[in-house]
Amino acid sequence: GAGAVKIEAGAAGKVFKIEASVGQAVKKGDPVIIIEAMKMEIPQVAPQDGTVASIDVAVGAACEAGSVLATLN
């Protein structure tokens, strides 16, 4: 929605695990999506406190650096 905070992939890779669900409250620094890049699991974390508004990827999906993985309100 309007003013939604985007969580973007920090690197190209694939979605390894989804740690949060839509409607879940998260704190700044909480892992929301874990991507696997260069054989490493890299948590993509909430940049601020909020509520998960959308999860825009599925486990196993490829992602590009900068692609939106999830949004917070």
Side-chain angles (χ1 to χ4, degrees), residues 17-26 30-33 52 55 70 72:
K17 194 174 179 190
I18 297 172
E19 292 281 6
S21 53
V22 172
Q24 182 176 332
V26 291
D30 283 355
V32 176
I33 309 270
V52 178
I55 299 289
L72 304 181

Side-chain angles (χ1 to χ4, degrees), residues 1-25:
V5 177
K6 294 176 174 62
I7 297 176
E8 297 177 349
K14 72 175 187 178
V15 178
F16 179 72
K17 194 174 179 190
I18 297 172
E19 292 281 6
S21 53
V22 172
Q24 182 176 332

Side-chain angles (χ1 to χ4, degrees), residues 23-73:
Q24 182 176 332
V26 291
K27 297 285 188 192
K28 181 177 179 174
D30 283 355
V32 176
I33 309 270
I34 297 174
I35 63 172
E36 187 176 36
M38 301 166 289
K39 305 268 190 289
M40 296 179 359
E41 291 168 27
I42 308 169
Q44 309 299 301
V45 303
Q48 62 189 59
D49 294 359
T51 302
V52 178
S54 68
I55 299 289
D56 298 307
V57 290
V59 171
C63 58
E64 297 297 320
S67 62
V68 176
L69 303 174
T71 63
L72 304 181
N73 281 329

